[in-house]
Amino acid sequence: AGDLEDRAAERLLFRYLRAAGSEAEWKNAIHRAIERNAENVEARLERAKMHAAAGRWSDARHDAEAVLRNHPKEADAHFLLA
């Protein structure tokens, strides 16, 4: 349960930072989380969404595929690849 709680907390943090309009803090939080753990699902998904929004589809695909390697049922990653 701890992993799910950590993921939920991290997801909320990323959403809060994005909604608060603090793009620099949002990006920094994502990058720090990935530096701590390259397989961080929530951070990889957020970064994939960030890349997709910027039209960097190759980068978005790379992060979505990295998520799916360890979490093949992750719906958001499949959505990003669709």
Side-chain angles (χ1 to χ4, degrees), residues 15 17-19 23-24 27 29 31 40 45 47 72 78 81:
R15 286 181 183 170
L17 290 173
R18 188 173 25 159
E23 186 172 346
K27 288 179 178 180
H31 292 296
N40 183 312
L45 287 172
R47 190 168 72 176
H78 283 287
L81 293 174

Side-chain angles (χ1 to χ4, degrees), residues 10 14 26-51 59 62-64 66-67:
E10 201 155 49
F14 293 145
W26 174 59
K27 288 179 178 180
N28 285 335
I30 293 167
H31 292 296
R32 282 193 311 269
I34 293 171
E35 284 177 355
R36 283 192 309 271
N37 177 5
E39 295 179 7
N40 183 312
V41 173
E42 295 305 322
R44 285 282 194 152
L45 287 172
E46 279 296 310
R47 190 168 72 176
K49 292 173 189 176
M50 178 176 57
H51 289 318
D59 293 332
H62 174 76
D63 279 330
V67 168

